[in-house]
Coordinates of all heavy atoms in Angstrom, one line a residue:
M251 N 0.8 -1.2 0.0 CA 0.0 0.0 0.0 C 0.9 1.3 0.0 O 1.9 1.3 0.7 CB -0.9 0.0 1.3 CG -2.1 0.8 1.0 SD -3.3 0.6 2.4 CE -4.6 1.7 1.9
A252 N 0.5 2.2 -0.8 CA 1.3 3.4 -0.9 C 1.2 4.3 0.3 O 0.1 4.3 1.0 CB 0.9 4.2 -2.2
K253 N 2.2 5.0 0.6 CA 2.2 5.9 1.7 C 1.2 7.1 1.5 O 1.3 7.7 0.4 CB 3.6 6.4 1.9 CG 3.9 6.7 3.4 CD 5.4 7.1 3.5 CE 5.8 7.3 5.0 NZ 7.2 7.7 5.0
M254 N 0.4 7.3 2.4 CA -0.6 8.4 2.2 C 0.0 9.7 2.6 O 0.6 9.8 3.7 CB -1.9 8.2 3.0 CG -2.8 7.1 2.3 SD -4.5 7.4 2.8 CE -4.4 6.8 4.5
R255 N -0.1 10.7 1.7 CA 0.5 12.0 2.0 C -0.6 13.1 1.8 O -1.0 13.2 0.6 CB 1.7 12.2 1.1 CG 2.5 13.4 1.6 CD 3.9 13.0 1.9 NE 4.5 14.0 2.7 CZ 5.8 14.4 2.6 NH1 6.5 14.0 1.6 NH2 6.3 15.3 3.4
R256 N -0.9 13.7 2.8 CA -1.9 14.8 2.6 C -1.3 16.1 2.1 O -0.1 16.4 2.4 CB -2.6 15.1 3.9 CG -3.8 14.1 4.1 CD -4.4 14.4 5.5 NE -3.6 13.9 6.5 CZ -3.7 14.1 7.8 NH1 -4.7 14.9 8.2 NH2 -2.9 13.6 8.7
K257 N -2.0 16.8 1.3 CA -1.5 18.0 0.7 C -1.3 19.1 1.8 O -0.2 19.8 1.7 CB -2.5 18.5 -0.3 CG -1.8 19.0 -1.6 CD -2.9 19.4 -2.6 CE -2.2 19.8 -3.9 NZ -3.1 20.2 -4.9
G258 N -2.2 19.2 2.7 CA -2.0 20.3 3.7 C -1.3 19.8 4.9 O -1.7 20.1 6.0
D259 N -0.3 19.0 4.7 CA 0.4 18.4 5.8 C 1.7 19.1 6.2 O 2.7 18.6 6.3 CB 0.8 16.9 5.4 CG 1.0 16.1 6.7 OD1 0.6 16.5 7.7 OD2 1.6 15.0 6.5
L260 N 1.5 20.4 6.3 CA 2.7 21.3 6.6 C 2.7 21.5 8.1 O 1.7 21.5 8.8 CB 2.6 22.6 5.9 CG 2.7 22.6 4.4 CD1 2.3 23.9 3.8 CD2 4.1 22.2 4.0
P261 N 3.9 21.6 8.7 CA 4.1 21.8 10.1 C 3.5 23.2 10.5 O 3.6 24.2 9.7 CB 5.6 21.7 10.4 CG 6.2 21.9 9.0 CD 5.2 21.5 8.0
T262 N 3.0 23.3 11.7 CA 2.5 24.6 12.2 C 3.1 24.9 13.5 O 3.6 24.0 14.3 CB 1.0 24.6 12.3 OG1 0.6 23.5 13.1 CG2 0.3 24.5 11.0
K263 N 3.1 26.2 13.9 CA 3.6 26.7 15.2 C 2.7 27.7 15.7 O 1.9 28.3 14.9 CB 5.0 27.3 15.0 CG 6.1 26.3 15.0 CD 7.4 27.1 15.0 CE 8.6 26.1 15.0 NZ 9.8 26.8 15.1
T264 N 2.8 28.1 16.9 CA 2.1 29.2 17.5 C 3.1 30.3 17.7 O 4.1 30.2 18.3 CB 1.4 28.8 18.8 OG1 0.7 27.6 18.6 CG2 0.5 29.9 19.3
C265 N 2.7 31.5 17.3 CA 3.6 32.7 17.5 C 3.7 33.0 18.9 O 2.8 33.0 19.7 CB 2.9 33.9 16.7 SG 3.9 35.4 17.0
A266 N 5.0 33.2 19.3 CA 5.3 33.4 20.7 C 4.8 34.8 21.2 O 4.7 35.1 22.4 CB 6.8 33.3 21.0
H267 N 4.4 35.7 20.3 CA 4.0 37.0 20.7 C 2.5 37.1 20.6 O 1.8 37.4 21.6 CB 4.6 38.1 19.8 CG 4.2 39.4 20.2 ND1 4.6 40.0 21.4 CD2 3.5 40.4 19.6 CE1 4.1 41.2 21.5 NE2 3.4 41.5 20.4
C268 N 1.9 36.9 19.5 CA 0.4 37.1 19.3 C -0.4 35.8 19.5 O -1.6 35.9 19.7 CB 0.1 37.7 17.9 SG 0.5 36.6 16.6
G269 N 0.3 34.7 19.6 CA -0.4 33.4 19.9 C -1.2 32.9 18.7 O -1.9 31.9 18.9
R270 N -1.0 33.4 17.5 CA -1.7 32.9 16.4 C -1.0 31.8 15.8 O 0.2 31.8 15.8 CB -1.9 34.0 15.3 CG -2.9 35.1 15.8 CD -3.0 36.1 14.6 NE -3.8 37.3 15.1 CZ -4.0 38.3 14.3 NH1 -3.6 38.3 13.0 NH2 -4.7 39.3 14.7
P271 N -1.7 30.8 15.2 CA -1.1 29.7 14.5 C -0.5 30.2 13.2 O -1.0 31.0 12.5 CB -2.2 28.7 14.3 CG -3.5 29.5 14.3 CD -3.2 30.7 15.2
M272 N 0.7 29.7 12.9 CA 1.4 30.0 11.7 C 1.8 28.8 11.0 O 2.2 27.8 11.6 CB 2.5 31.0 11.9 CG 3.5 30.5 13.0 SD 4.9 31.6 13.2 CE 5.8 30.9 14.5
T273 N 1.7 28.8 9.7 CA 2.0 27.6 8.9 C 3.4 27.7 8.3 O 3.8 28.8 7.9 CB 0.9 27.4 7.8 OG1 -0.4 27.5 8.4 CG2 1.0 26.1 7.1
W274 N 4.0 26.6 8.1 CA 5.3 26.5 7.5 C 5.4 27.3 6.2 O 4.5 27.2 5.4 CB 5.7 25.1 7.3 CG 7.0 24.8 6.8 CD1 8.1 24.6 7.6 CD2 7.5 24.7 5.5 NE1 9.2 24.4 6.8 CE2 8.9 24.5 5.5 CE3 6.9 24.9 4.2 CZ2 9.6 24.4 4.3 CZ3 7.6 24.7 3.1 CH2 9.0 24.5 3.1
R275 N 6.4 28.1 6.0 CA 6.6 28.8 4.8 C 8.0 28.3 4.2 O 8.9 28.0 4.9 CB 6.6 30.3 5.0 CG 5.3 30.8 5.5 CD 5.5 32.3 5.7 NE 4.4 32.8 6.6 CZ 4.3 34.0 7.1 NH1 5.3 34.9 6.8 NH2 3.3 34.4 7.8
K276 N 8.0 28.4 2.9 CA 9.2 28.0 2.2 C 10.4 28.9 2.7 O 11.6 28.4 2.8 CB 9.1 28.1 0.7 CG 10.0 27.2 0.0 CD 9.7 27.2 -1.5 CE 10.6 26.1 -2.2 NZ 10.3 26.1 -3.7
A277 N 10.1 30.1 2.9 CA 11.2 31.0 3.4 C 11.8 30.6 4.7 O 12.9 31.0 5.1 CB 10.6 32.4 3.5
W278 N 11.0 29.8 5.5 CA 11.5 29.4 6.8 C 12.1 28.0 6.8 O 12.4 27.5 7.8 CB 10.3 29.4 7.8 CG 9.8 30.8 8.1 CD1 10.4 32.0 7.9 CD2 8.5 31.1 8.6 NE1 9.6 33.0 8.3 CE2 8.4 32.5 8.7 CE3 7.4 30.4 9.0 CZ2 7.3 33.2 9.2 CZ3 6.3 31.0 9.5 CH2 6.2 32.4 9.6
A279 N 12.2 27.5 5.6 CA 12.7 26.1 5.5 C 14.0 25.9 6.2 O 14.2 24.9 6.9 CB 12.8 25.7 4.1
R280 N 14.9 26.8 6.1 CA 16.2 26.7 6.7 C 16.2 26.9 8.2 O 17.0 26.3 8.9 CB 17.2 27.7 6.0 CG 17.6 27.2 4.6 CD 18.6 28.1 4.1 NE 19.0 27.7 2.7 CZ 20.0 28.3 2.0 NH1 20.7 29.3 2.6 NH2 20.3 28.0 0.8
N281 N 15.4 27.8 8.6 CA 15.5 28.1 10.1 C 14.1 27.9 10.8 O 13.8 28.7 11.7 CB 16.0 29.6 10.2 CG 15.1 30.6 9.6 OD1 14.3 30.2 8.7 ND2 15.1 31.8 10.0
W282 N 13.4 27.0 10.3 CA 12.1 26.7 10.9 C 12.2 26.5 12.4 O 11.3 27.0 13.2 CB 11.4 25.5 10.2 CG 10.2 25.1 10.9 CD1 9.9 23.9 11.5 CD2 8.9 25.8 10.9 NE1 8.6 23.9 12.0 CE2 8.0 25.0 11.6 CE3 8.5 27.0 10.4 CZ2 6.7 25.4 11.8 CZ3 7.2 27.4 10.6 CH2 6.3 26.6 11.3
D283 N 13.2 25.9 12.9 CA 13.4 25.6 14.3 C 13.6 26.9 15.1 O 13.2 26.9 16.3 CB 14.6 24.7 14.5 CG 14.2 23.2 14.2 OD1 13.0 22.9 14.2 OD2 15.2 22.5 14.0
S284 N 14.1 27.9 14.5 CA 14.4 29.1 15.3 C 13.4 30.2 15.0 O 13.4 31.2 15.7 CB 15.8 29.6 14.9 OG 15.9 29.8 13.5
V285 N 12.4 29.9 14.2 CA 11.3 30.8 14.0 C 10.3 30.7 15.1 O 9.7 29.6 15.3 CB 10.6 30.6 12.6 CG1 9.3 31.4 12.5 CG2 11.5 30.8 11.5
I286 N 10.1 31.8 15.8 CA 9.1 31.7 16.9 C 8.0 32.8 16.8 O 7.0 32.7 17.5 CB 9.8 31.8 18.3 CG1 10.7 33.0 18.4 CG2 10.5 30.5 18.6 CD1 11.3 33.2 19.8
Y287 N 8.2 33.7 15.9 CA 7.2 34.8 15.7 C 6.7 34.7 14.3 O 7.4 34.3 13.3 CB 7.8 36.1 16.0 CG 8.4 36.3 17.3 CD1 9.8 36.5 17.5 CD2 7.6 36.2 18.5 CE1 10.3 36.6 18.8 CE2 8.2 36.3 19.7 CZ 9.5 36.5 19.9 OH 10.1 36.6 21.1
C288 N 5.4 35.1 14.1 CA 4.8 34.9 12.8 C 5.3 36.0 11.8 O 5.1 35.9 10.6 CB 3.3 35.0 13.0 SG 2.6 36.6 13.5
S289 N 5.8 37.1 12.4 CA 6.1 38.2 11.5 C 7.2 39.1 12.1 O 7.5 39.0 13.3 CB 4.9 39.1 11.2 OG 4.4 39.6 12.4
D290 N 7.8 39.9 11.3 CA 8.8 40.8 11.8 C 8.2 41.8 12.8 O 8.9 42.2 13.8 CB 9.4 41.6 10.6 CG 10.4 40.8 9.8 OD1 10.8 39.8 10.3 OD2 10.7 41.2 8.7
R291 N 7.0 42.1 12.6 CA 6.3 43.0 13.6 C 6.2 42.4 14.9 O 6.5 43.0 15.9 CB 4.9 43.3 13.0 CG 4.2 44.4 13.8 CD 2.8 44.6 13.3 NE 2.8 45.4 12.1 CZ 1.7 45.9 11.5 NH1 0.5 45.5 12.0 NH2 1.7 46.6 10.5
C292 N 5.8 41.1 15.0 CA 5.7 40.4 16.3 C 7.1 40.3 16.9 O 7.3 40.4 18.1 CB 5.1 39.1 16.1 SG 3.3 39.1 16.0
R293 N 8.1 40.0 16.1 CA 9.5 39.9 16.6 C 9.9 41.2 17.3 O 10.5 41.2 18.4 CB 10.4 39.4 15.5 CG 11.7 38.9 16.1 CD 12.8 38.8 15.0 NE 12.2 38.3 13.8 CZ 12.9 38.2 12.7 NH1 14.2 38.5 12.7 NH2 12.4 37.8 11.5
A294 N 9.7 42.3 16.5 CA 10.1 43.6 17.0 C 9.3 44.0 18.3 O 9.9 44.5 19.2 CB 9.9 44.6 15.9
A295 N 8.0 43.7 18.3 CA 7.2 44.0 19.4 C 7.6 43.2 20.7 O 7.7 43.8 21.8 CB 5.7 43.7 19.1
A296 N 7.9 41.9 20.5 CA 8.3 41.1 21.6 C 9.7 41.6 22.1 O 9.9 41.6 23.3 CB 8.4 39.7 21.1
K297 N 10.5 42.0 21.2 CA 11.9 42.4 21.6 C 11.7 43.7 22.4 O 12.4 43.9 23.5 CB 12.7 42.7 20.4 CG 14.2 42.5 20.6 CD 14.9 42.6 19.3 CE 16.4 42.3 19.5 NZ 17.1 42.5 18.2
K298 N 10.9 44.6 22.0 CA 10.6 45.9 22.6 C 10.1 45.6 24.0 O 10.5 46.2 25.0 CB 9.6 46.7 21.8 CG 9.8 48.2 22.0 CD 8.9 48.9 21.0 CE 9.2 50.4 21.0 NZ 8.3 51.1 20.0
E299 N 9.1 44.7 24.1 CA 8.5 44.4 25.4 C 9.5 43.9 26.4 O 9.6 44.2 27.6 CB 7.4 43.4 25.2 CG 6.0 44.1 25.0 CD 5.0 43.0 24.8 OE1 5.1 41.9 25.3 OE2 4.0 43.3 24.1
R300 N 10.4 43.0 25.9 CA 11.3 42.4 26.7 C 12.4 43.4 27.2 O 12.8 43.4 28.4 CB 12.0 41.3 25.9 CG 12.7 40.3 26.9 CD 13.5 39.2 26.1 NE 12.6 38.3 25.4 CZ 13.0 37.4 24.5 NH1 14.3 37.3 24.2 NH2 12.2 36.5 24.0
S301 N 12.8 44.3 26.4 CA 13.8 45.2 26.8 C 13.3 46.3 27.8 O 14.0 46.8 28.6 CB 14.3 46.0 25.5 OG 13.3 46.7 24.9
T302 N 12.0 46.5 27.7 CA 11.4 47.5 28.7 C 11.0 46.8 30.0 O 11.0 47.4 31.0 CB 10.1 48.1 28.1 OG1 9.3 47.2 27.5 CG2 10.5 49.2 27.0
A303 N 10.8 45.5 29.9 CA 10.4 44.7 31.1 C 11.6 44.5 32.0 O 11.4 44.6 33.2 CB 9.8 43.4 30.7
T304 N 12.7 44.4 31.4 CA 13.9 44.2 32.3 C 14.6 45.5 32.6 O 15.1 46.2 31.7 CB 14.9 43.2 31.6 OG1 15.1 43.7 30.2 CG2 14.5 41.8 31.6
A305 N 14.5 45.9 33.8 CA 15.1 47.2 34.1 C 16.2 47.1 35.1 O 16.1 46.3 36.0 CB 14.0 48.1 34.7
Ligands
ZN237 ZN1 2.6 36.9 15.8

């Protein structure tokens, strides 16, 4: 029996900042493990929050 492969079988993650689910993108293929934010905006916002939180 052939191996079944679904078309929408891409890995997903939850953004560490906004908590929204994000789907694997080809641009993230190389660094998927290190991607934790869905967008540059979230990354910048999280960084900003973190830098102001630590005083
Ligand atoms: Zn996000």
Side-chain angles (χ1 to χ4, degrees):
M251 204 170 181
K253 213 176 183 181
M254 281 205 289
R255 191 124 202 221
R256 274 176 289 168
K257 222 174 184 182
D259 203 16
L260 293 170
T262 54
K263 273 188 185 186
T264 307
C265 176
H267 182 67
C268 67
R270 287 184 192 178
M272 50 180 179
T273 310
W274 186 90
R275 294 178 200 173
K276 203 171 186 182
W278 293 340
R280 283 187 182 186
N281 62 338
W282 173 247
D283 283 339
S284 55
V285 171
I286 52 173
Y287 305 115
C288 68
S289 61
D290 283 344
R291 188 183 281 184
C292 276
R293 197 196 318 176
K297 209 173 181 182
K298 208 173 185 181
E299 271 179 25
R300 199 183 287 173
S301 62
T302 47
T304 48

